[in-house]
Each structure stands twice: as structure tokens, then as C-alpha cells.
Amino acid sequence: MNHDYPVRVQGRADAQLSRGLWLVKWLLLLPHAIVLAFLWIAFVALTVVAFVSILVTGRYPRSVFEFNVGVLRWTWRVWFYGYYALATDQYPPFTLHEVVDYPARLEIDYPTELSRGLVLVKTWLLAIPHYLVLAFLAGSGLTVALGGDDDRWAWGGGLIVLLTLFAAVALLVTGRYPRPIFDLVIGMDRWMIRVIAYAALMTDEYPPFRLDQGGEEPGESPAGPGTSAAPAPHPHARGWTALPIVGVATGSLLVLVGVVVGAVGGLLLVVDSGFRDDDGYLMSGRQQVASAGYAVSTEDLEIAIDEGTGDLPRRLLGTVKIVAESPSGRPLFVGIARAEAVETYLAGVEHAVITDLHGPADALEPRYRYVAGTGPAMVPGVAEFWSVSASGTEPELRWEPESGAWALVVMNADGAAAVEARISAGATVPVLGPGAGVVLGLGVFVLALGVVLLVAAVHRAHGPGPASEPIEEEV
């Protein structure tokens, strides 16, 4: 059995722990949570950089490796202090570097050469069995349910947190941390960190399916202050000081934002170029509307086009198109008019008013407000108040938006009851193409800026130290 795994996780429980400090550690750890959120964004971004480097050269960039080890080391200290162990009351230091007198230690051997083939399958394929185990140890893989369907309690926090809470209760009552729980929890934490390091391409050695319990690695002396020296920095490295760390975190965040914004811009360009009909309109799917009465209308649609807003709605929507289809082949009437004129026309007429649409995006269903009454005084096509209207088995109308309150009305062309139609609506949306180009350009700019910051930060961390510090040449 090989106990010399290149990822070494150690932890030494404090001899005396506070009975109640764990109750407020969640608050004390908030600053670390904020910093680590940014550091883990950088961790993922630099792991992608390492992936490309390994694929091309077979090597993990040394400065990137040191940064990612530092993020894991920082994370392990926070876990050890917080609710993945609760084994120390010493507040975690804000540093990527190893702190030799802190009770939680992490070292990972730098790989001089990595497989170019394994890098393609380690993260998403080979590590899957371990992911399933970790889902049980750390996350939603553990679910405990008590009671029936109407009275159910479920726990999805993972075995590690559950055992740590057991230890916390014991600590609160007895003032002692049960050693068996400590050994088991640290073994699970060790398993997690080994898998994370493997998935982050930091070693080719497959994590063992083995629960190495206790604060010491198998075959090593008990972890304690000064039991092992911190790994020597790369001889030419300036090191991960505050400035390059901030640069990497900021650059990674910008890369993430740039990718998201650029993807949105690209998606909008695809929609603009590939989803228009033959007349250049972006149309919705067909929506079934029906009423046992004499009409279906929409609630008032307010459009403001004045000196305050300019013609923004018109520039956003362009020309609006409404297309109706009669399922029964009975001629329909579709019209748009001022809301007050529609209200006067339908006063005392039995009809349905669409109040909103609900359900999934691909299967929206209208909700109606029904108004009691009798039939209309005249067939809709005779009335002269319509701004635009059309009749037929597949009527189509086009409308230029104007300021005011408007309503859409669907009726049978002969004014009879039992209205049924399939409606689709759309607009030219002339701003979509230029807007998508602007969004895409902004995404590319932010992405490029993030890459520049990343490269500069990594170069600074890897570059030569101050001139006053002599540097020995590598042989």
C-alpha cells in the first residue's frame, strides 16, 4: 500500500478549545469567504491556463502551481478553523504561503512532468468515482428524511459537517473534542483535498480510495509547529505577494465577466441573424387564446414616447406584427386601438381580458379576467376607432408604436360568440443587431483586459526578485 501520496494534508487539534466559539465562527469567517470567492475564481482560470500548458508542453507552470497550492492551503486552514473540522481556535492567516506554526498544513509536490493525455480526461472522467464519494462526504449526496410526505426533515449538508456538528455539541457540553470524530473528519477532509488537487491537474497520481484518518499523513510524525519546513520557493520567483494576488483575482474575475458578456453578445447576434422570419421580424410561438364570450382583449399597454423618453420604444421595438390563425377556419378580426376606445366598445359586452401569461417559456398559458355582458352593438370591422386592423382566417396586421395606452382585441369577424384563435406576435427590433455587436465587443475587451492582468500578475510572481536579493542560477 503506497502511503507516499504527493498531496500531504496535516492537522493538529488544539489541546484546549473554546466551548462556544464555534457558535460565531461563521461570522468570523466572512472576510475569508469573500477573499476565497475571488481566489477560487482565479484558481479555476489558472487551472485552464495550466491545462493548455500541460497539453502543449507537459509541464504545469511553476508560478501558477504555487498560486493554486496557496489557494488550497488557505482553504484548508479555513476548513480546519471552521465547520469542516472546528479543530482550532487560532484564526487563519490571510496568506497563500505555508505558515509553519499554524496547526493546519498542506504541501503538494511540484510535478516536473505531467501526462499530456491524462490531462484530457482526469477532471471530467477519471475523477467521477471520487466525485460520487465526495457528494456523500461533503454535499447533497447524504440525505436523511424523517416522517411522512407532509412532515419531512432532510439533511443535505454532508457527512463531514454532520460529524463536525456532533463534535461541536460534545465540545459545548463536555469541553472536549472527541478524538475519534476528529480523526475521521480529518481523514475525509484529506480525501477531498487529494481529489481537488487531482482534478485541478496538479498530479497524475490517482487519489487512493483510502480513508487515512488522523491529523498526520500515514508514515509521518505527528503534525505540529516546526515538524516540517515549508517548501522552498522557486529560486527565480518573486513570490505571490499582495499585488500579484490582487492582479490574478481581478484578472480572473474580468475573464469570467468577459466570457459571460461575450457569450450574451454572441447569442444575441445569432438570434438577430438566424431567428427572423422572411420579413425580418422576430416572432413568438403561436399562443392559443379563447373565450366563450364575444372577444378576447389584452389589458392596457402603456407606451410613452414624448420629449422625456424620445422615441426609445419605437427604436427598441421597430414595427410590431400580429398574426392570428383560426383553428376552425372561421374568419377572425384582429385590431389595435386606444385603450379608452376599446373600453367603450366592449362596455357591457361579454369578453375575456388576458391579465398575464404563466408556465414554462415554451408552453405559456394565458390567465383571464372574465367580464359578463351581452353581444356587441356592431361587428368590429365596421367601427372606425381602430388604429390598425385585419380580418380573415389568418389575419395579419403591422403597427408602428405610438405614445398612449393601447389594447389588442381578437373577435370573430361576424361579432359572434365563442372566440378561438392562435396568436403570434413579434417586432423588427432594429436595435438588436447593433446592440449585440456592442455587447460582444465589450465582452471581448473585458476578456482581453482580464487576460492581460492575469499574464502580468503571473509574470510578476514568477519574475526575478528585487535586485538587492542575490539569486543563484539554476543548474
Side-chain angles (χ1 to χ4, degrees):
M1 182 180 294
N2 179 21
H3 292 293
D4 189 20
Y5 195 71
V7 181
R8 293 180 293 282
V9 181
Q10 294 176 304
R12 184 193 70 250
D14 289 356
Q16 185 64 44
L17 289 165
S18 168
R19 288 176 179 247
L21 182 61
W22 63 271
L23 293 169
V24 296
K25 279 186 176 181
W26 64 271
L27 180 61
L28 300 177
L29 285 173
L30 285 178
H32 281 282
I34 294 171
V35 174
L36 282 174
F38 288 95
L39 291 180
W40 272 96
I41 292 173
F43 182 96
V44 173
L46 290 181
T47 299
V48 174
V49 173
F51 170 86
V52 176
S53 175
I54 296 168
L55 192 61
V56 175
T57 68
R59 294 177 62 86
Y60 202 121
R62 183 63 181 254
S63 56
V64 173
F65 183 86
E66 291 169 354
F67 177 87
N68 282 355
V69 171
V71 174
L72 287 177
R73 184 180 291 130
W74 192 329
T75 301
W76 169 228
R77 287 194 292 254
V78 169
W79 284 3
F80 196 76
Y81 176 82
Y83 299 96
Y84 269 37
L86 289 176
T88 183
D89 289 340
Q90 299 182 47
Y91 196 68
F94 285 82
T95 178
L96 298 176
H97 301 293
E98 186 71 284
V99 179
V100 295
D101 59 350
Y102 195 77
R105 302 280 301 281
L106 171 65
E107 297 177 7
I108 303 178
D109 293 337
Y110 177 71
T112 56
E113 187 175 357
L114 291 167
S115 167
R116 300 185 188 185
L118 282 178
V119 75
L120 296 171
V121 295
K122 282 195 292 189
T123 302
W124 67 272
L125 179 61
L126 299 183
I128 287 178
H130 282 285
Y131 293 157
L132 298 177
V133 174
L134 296 190
F136 181 81
L137 297 182
S140 58
L142 173 66
T143 300
V144 179
L146 300 175
D149 293 337
D150 298 329
D151 183 16
R152 177 168 295 182
W153 174 87
W155 168 266
L159 188 57
I160 294 176
V161 176
L162 184 62
L163 290 174
T164 302
L165 291 179
F166 289 163
V169 173
L171 182 63
L172 183 66
V173 174
T174 69
R176 296 178 61 85
Y177 193 123
R179 184 70 192 193
I181 293 182
F182 171 80
D183 291 341
L184 183 56
V185 165
I186 299 304
M188 294 176 181
D189 288 332
R190 180 176 289 117
W191 193 328
M192 286 181 58
I193 293 175
R194 286 172 177 174
V195 173
I196 293 172
Y198 180 79
L201 314 177
M202 304 175 82
T203 179
D204 280 347
E205 188 169 339
Y206 197 69
F209 281 92
R210 186 179 68 234
L211 189 61
D212 293 328
Q213 299 186 48
E216 301 81 42
E217 286 282 348
E220 294 191 0
S221 60
T227 55
S228 62
H234 190 265
H236 288 272
R238 182 189 297 269
W240 285 102
T241 57
L243 187 59
I245 290 174
V246 171
V248 164
T250 305
S252 300
L253 184 61
L254 289 176
V255 167
L256 177 63
V257 172
V259 169
V260 172
V261 173
V264 171
L267 179 62
L268 292 177
L269 281 177
V270 170
V271 170
D272 181 64
S273 60
F275 287 82
R276 295 183 180 274
D277 65 9
D278 294 338
D279 296 325
Y281 288 83
L282 290 171
M283 300 296 295
S284 69
R286 298 281 175 136
Q287 176 62 57
Q288 183 83 15
V289 297
S291 171
Y294 297 86
V296 176
S297 71
T298 62
E299 290 195 313
D300 297 355
L301 173 63
E302 294 282 349
I303 298 179
I305 302 177
D306 52 33
E307 294 181 358
T309 62
D311 62 346
L312 181 60
R314 184 180 293 117
R315 287 190 286 116
L316 289 176
L317 290 175
T319 303
V320 174
K321 181 166 75 171
I322 305 293
V323 179
E325 177 186 352
S326 174
S328 64
R330 189 176 188 177
L332 295 171
F333 170 88
V334 181
I336 295 178
R338 298 278 180 181
E340 60 269 23
V342 170
E343 183 178 354
T344 300
Y345 175 68
L346 295 179
V349 175
E350 181 184 358
H351 66 284
V353 180
I354 299 175
T355 56
D356 62 29
L357 300 173
H358 67 98
D362 58 346
L364 290 172
E365 293 290 338
R367 283 195 176 102
Y368 300 98
R369 172 170 53 86
Y370 290 95
V371 179
T374 58
M378 66 178 77
V379 295
V382 175
E384 298 180 353
F385 58 82
W386 304 106
S387 177
V388 289
S389 63
S391 298
T393 56
E394 293 188 12
E396 175 184 312
L397 60 82
R398 304 186 184 193
W399 176 60
E400 297 289 339
E402 300 178 30
S403 182
W406 300 85
L408 170 70
V409 178
V410 181
M411 302 178 67
N412 290 318
D414 59 3
V419 179
E420 185 180 8
R422 289 193 289 265
I423 305 291
S424 62
T428 54
V429 196
V431 75
L432 181 60
V438 170
V439 173
L440 179 60
L442 178 61
V444 171
F445 172 77
V446 174
L447 175 62
L449 181 60
V451 170
V452 170
L453 278 176
L454 271 176
V455 172
V458 172
H459 177 74
R460 179 178 177 83
H462 188 66
S468 59
E469 298 179 6
I471 299 175
E472 297 180 3
E473 292 293 327
E474 266 188 319
V475 178

